[in-house]
Amino acid sequence: MEIIRTIKEMQNLSKKLSSKGVVIGCVPTMGYLHEGHLNLIRKAKEISDFVVMTLFVNPKQFGPNEDFERYPRDFDRDYKLAENAGCDLIFAPDIIEMYPIGFSTSVEIQNITSKFEGERRPGHFDGVALVVAKLFNAVKPDIAVFGQKDYQQTQVIKQLVRDLNFDVKIVVAPTVREADGLAMSSRNTYLTPELREKANVLFNALEDGIKAIEGGCRERKVINAIMHKRLRTVPEIKIDYACAALAENLDEPDVFLAGDHVVLLIACYLGTTRLIDNALVTIPKTNVSKK
Ligand code: PAF
């Protein structure tokens, strides 16, 4: 499997492939691959001819007190895993290649970024939008595959693609989970064994929220309270948010209506590790109760 480290080389190869009618699939990552990433590579392989995984730990999407420095990195391990999953090429630029001296451009996406992760991590989605725009301009993919695990990020990227006319189809693949339900994440490696055992409480809280909705609950605050109640069963947890919102635009009506697509979003700290998770559910058309 080839490795490309410069934007120019990447662009030249992509132009050559596209001129031959090769459909390019892209899987943007920050490395330290787990089964979730490998699933994205496999999905990209299914729907494209040539899969480029990008590997770049993007400093611009980390806040000053976040984990950029200690974010786990292991290129050799990533190389082997990506190759086995069917990746054709890794595009792994360094920081100077992506942000040379004099780099002066920013990308700011409004509205969809104003709450949840966007509110708690100021500048995070601007950094994501900027790097994804740059990666798309380097790789020139026809299709790009992202994980549902970062639900708000997928909405931000769809907005970016619409607003800036990127000719890329965005595909979102379902979250891959550990046997106990914990969503796979490179940051799970930060958890102590004791906290790891309790980390599936996020998944259990999402399940409780879904059950409540399927049982007829329509009131947003009640659904939120049900998720909070489950999360609080773990004393070490600090809840950042556990909220139900409309999946399309993250609006938060007091009451959801039959047919609404709802996303349940959770972010919390377990010790010093910040975990996020989400689930999608459609409000059933029948069975309204006053739960
Ligand atoms: O989801 C991630 O790993 C990152 O946010 C992304 C999309 C690769 C941009 O750096």
Side-chain angles (χ1 to χ4, degrees):
M1 182 179 56
E2 209 181 329
I3 303 166
I4 287 186
R5 298 213 180 256
T6 70
I7 293 168
K8 200 77 233 152
E9 251 184 294
M10 187 66 246
Q11 287 173 329
N12 288 342
L13 177 68
S14 290
K15 274 190 225 155
K16 211 155 78 189
L17 291 171
S18 296
S19 72
K20 290 184 187 153
V22 173
V23 175
I24 301 174
C26 180
V27 178
T29 80
M30 297 202 300
Y32 213 71
L33 304 183
H34 50 67
E35 196 50 39
H37 296 111
L38 304 181
N39 195 46
L40 303 182
I41 294 173
R42 288 185 208 111
K43 179 73 200 170
K45 193 76 182 177
E46 249 173 67
I47 56 180
S48 65
D49 303 318
F50 189 88
V51 176
V52 178
M53 181 184 89
T54 71
L55 197 172
F56 179 65
V57 185
N58 173 35
K60 293 206 185 264
Q61 70 186 75
F62 289 78
N65 299 317
E66 292 184 356
D67 55 345
F68 173 69
E69 292 300 338
R70 73 172 184 131
Y71 197 83
R73 293 160 170 91
D74 188 339
F75 186 84
D76 294 343
R77 175 180 171 276
D78 288 344
Y79 182 95
K80 284 182 204 127
L81 289 171
E83 186 173 43
N84 287 338
C87 181
D88 296 293
L89 183 147
I90 296 185
F91 174 53
D94 67 14
I95 293 186
I96 291 296
E97 178 69 10
M98 289 295 273
Y99 304 119
I101 309 286
F103 188 89
S104 310
T105 299
S106 56
V107 178
E108 187 192 332
I109 294 184
Q110 289 167 1
N111 301 325
I112 193 85
T113 59
S114 66
K115 46 172 110 165
F116 305 123
E117 288 306 280
E119 190 182 357
R120 270 72 177 190
R121 303 182 65 191
H124 168 66
F125 285 128
D126 296 347
V128 170
L130 175 65
V131 81
V132 169
K134 282 183 66 75
L135 294 170
F136 283 177
N137 282 330
V139 176
K140 302 178 180 296
D142 299 287
I143 298 165
V145 188
F146 294 86
Q148 189 197 314
K149 156 85 182 358
D150 296 293
Y151 181 78
Q152 195 175 5
Q153 171 172 280
T154 64
Q155 296 300 94
V156 168
I157 288 163
K158 285 179 183 172
Q159 186 80 48
L160 171 81
V161 164
R162 274 197 303 275
D163 289 352
L164 298 188
N165 311 111
F166 282 100
D167 193 11
V168 182
K169 181 174 180 222
I170 302 300
V171 173
V172 178
T175 304
V176 178
R177 299 181 179 281
E178 304 284 357
D180 67 351
L182 175 66
M184 290 198 182
S185 163
S186 307
R187 290 187 169 103
N188 291 350
T189 53
Y190 298 156
L191 292 165
T192 61
E194 295 72 36
L195 291 177
R196 167 62 192 90
E197 267 192 26
K198 300 176 177 180
N200 65 340
V201 72
L202 279 80
F203 177 65
N204 296 333
L206 292 171
E207 282 196 319
D208 288 355
I210 291 172
K211 260 186 232 144
I213 289 172
E214 287 174 350
C217 185
R218 301 284 180 271
E219 287 135 61
R220 181 176 51 81
K221 285 189 179 154
V222 177
I223 301 165
N224 293 355
I226 287 167
M227 293 194 288
H228 275 79
K229 185 171 171 212
R230 171 70 78 150
L231 292 169
R232 281 197 305 266
T233 60
V234 170
E236 297 90 342
I237 216 158
K238 192 177 143 263
I239 303 170
D240 221 344
Y241 57 81
C243 297
L246 290 174
E248 189 194 349
N249 51 19
L250 304 187
D251 277 357
E252 295 171 280
D254 289 342
V255 176
F256 294 107
L257 304 176
D260 280 349
H261 299 299
V262 171
V263 62
L264 306 177
L265 296 158
I266 294 181
C268 22
Y269 285 90
L270 255 184
T272 53
T273 306
R274 190 167 185 278
L275 300 175
I276 61 171
D277 202 351
N278 70 81
L280 291 166
V281 56
T282 300
I283 303 288
K285 295 230 156 90
T286 51
N287 194 20
V288 180
S289 85
K290 288 226 165 66
K291 199 163 173 189

